[in-house]
Structure formats: structure tokens, C-alpha cells
């Protein structure tokens, strides 16, 4: 049985999550300076990619694109281009790269904040 303190902590975490979701829905919210390794390992996981894209992994997404991406700097240049957003539109359910990252952040936050069922 959960204690009252546990329920209060969970309620606070959920309130914080909802506030963050509201902020992230805004048009002015932009995800910048996110490490490419973090994007691959924490955000665009195979589960996320299979659920929201035509590809099974972020690495496959890069390989199947026409872009030459071998390091962080090259990725930053590509991900800021209109061509990358066109590629995202064609291969995912998102309108642009930023929207895709937003959803990945929300799903990661949900995985981390919501306790797994026993």
C-alpha cells in the first residue's frame, strides 16, 4: 500500500511533467545543443523510431538519408536545414525535426517519471 507521502511525491512529479509539457507545446520552444549521443541513446530509441517513423533506428535514419553525417558538427549543420525537415516529413509522422525531438523528450520524461506497474 502506498503511503500518503509517496502519493504526494507522485502527484508533484505529475504536476511538474504537465507544466513541462505545456511549455514544450509552445511555438517558441526550441531544442538546441542536444548532444548527438544523447539523442541516439535516450531520445530516439528503437522503440520510439519504430512507433513514429518508417525506420527501425536513428542510425538507420541517417544511413538511409542522402546526408553525410559522421560527427556532431555535421549533424548540427544538417539538422538545421530545410532539407532535413523535408526528410523528416517524408519518413516520420512529424512536421519537422523539432517536433520529433519534442515528442521524444516527452516520451522519455514519461518513461522516467511514471513508475512502472508491478
Amino acid at each position: 500500500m502506498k503511503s500518503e507521502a509517496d502519493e504526494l511525491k507522485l502527484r508533484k512529479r505529475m504536476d511538474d511533467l504537465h507544466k513541462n509539457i505545456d511549455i514544450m507545446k509552445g511555438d517558441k520552444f526550441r531544442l538546441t545543443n542536444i548532444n548527438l549521443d544523447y539523442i541516439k541513446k535516450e531520445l530516439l530509441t528503437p522503440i520510439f523510431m519504430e512507433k513514429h517513423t518508417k525506420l527501425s533506428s536513428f542510425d538507420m535514419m541517417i544511413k538511409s538519408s542522402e546526408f553525410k553525417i559522421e560527427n556532431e558538427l555535421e549533424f548540427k549543420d544538417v539538422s538545421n536545414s530545410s532539407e532535413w525537415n523535408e526528410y523528416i516529413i517524408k519518413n516520420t509522422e512529424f512536421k519537422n525535426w523539432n517536433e520529433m525531438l519534442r515528442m521524444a523528450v516527452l516520451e522519455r520524461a514519461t518513461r522516467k517519471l511514471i513508475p512502472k506497474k508491478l
Side-chain angles (χ1 to χ4, degrees), residues 13 35-36 43-44 49 58 73 83 101:
R13 290 170 75 185
N35 178 283
L36 182 57
L43 299 179
L44 302 182
M49 295 298 289
F58 184 64
L73 188 57
E83 292 85 4
L101 281 181

Side-chain angles (χ1 to χ4, degrees), residues 4-117:
E4 215 173 291
D6 289 339
E7 288 185 30
L8 287 173
K9 285 179 188 176
L10 180 58
R11 189 168 288 132
K12 167 103 174 77
R13 290 170 75 185
M14 292 302 295
D15 288 344
D16 290 344
L17 177 62
H18 286 288
K19 286 177 192 172
N20 289 335
I21 289 171
D22 289 341
I23 290 168
M24 293 173 76
K25 285 181 182 176
D27 289 337
K28 293 182 181 178
F29 180 80
R30 294 289 179 260
L31 295 165
T32 57
N33 298 324
I34 297 178
N35 178 283
L36 182 57
D37 192 50
Y38 182 81
I39 289 172
K40 287 181 184 183
K41 291 180 181 176
E42 294 292 329
L43 299 179
L44 302 182
T45 63
I47 292 170
F48 178 90
M49 295 298 289
E50 288 175 4
K51 181 178 175 184
H52 298 286
T53 76
K54 297 176 181 178
L55 303 149
S56 61
S57 71
F58 184 64
D59 286 332
M60 285 300 300
M61 184 176 190
I62 290 174
K63 286 178 187 172
S64 70
S65 76
E66 61 188 47
F67 304 102
K68 180 181 179 263
I69 301 172
E70 295 181 7
N71 59 49
E72 188 93 24
L73 188 57
E74 289 174 349
F75 179 72
K76 277 192 190 249
D77 289 343
V78 166
S79 67
N80 288 320
S81 71
S82 59
E83 292 85 4
W84 180 253
N85 280 322
E86 289 174 25
Y87 181 71
I88 296 299
I89 291 167
K90 289 177 186 173
N91 292 285
T92 76
E93 63 185 41
F94 303 104
K95 294 185 289 188
N96 57 51
W97 174 240
N98 198 54
E99 183 180 284
M100 185 173 173
L101 281 181
R102 280 191 222 181
M103 179 60 74
V105 168
L106 289 173
E107 288 191 14
R108 183 189 182 281
T110 302
R111 284 192 315 269
K112 297 295 181 181
L113 291 174
I114 308 256
K116 293 181 182 175
K117 294 182 182 182

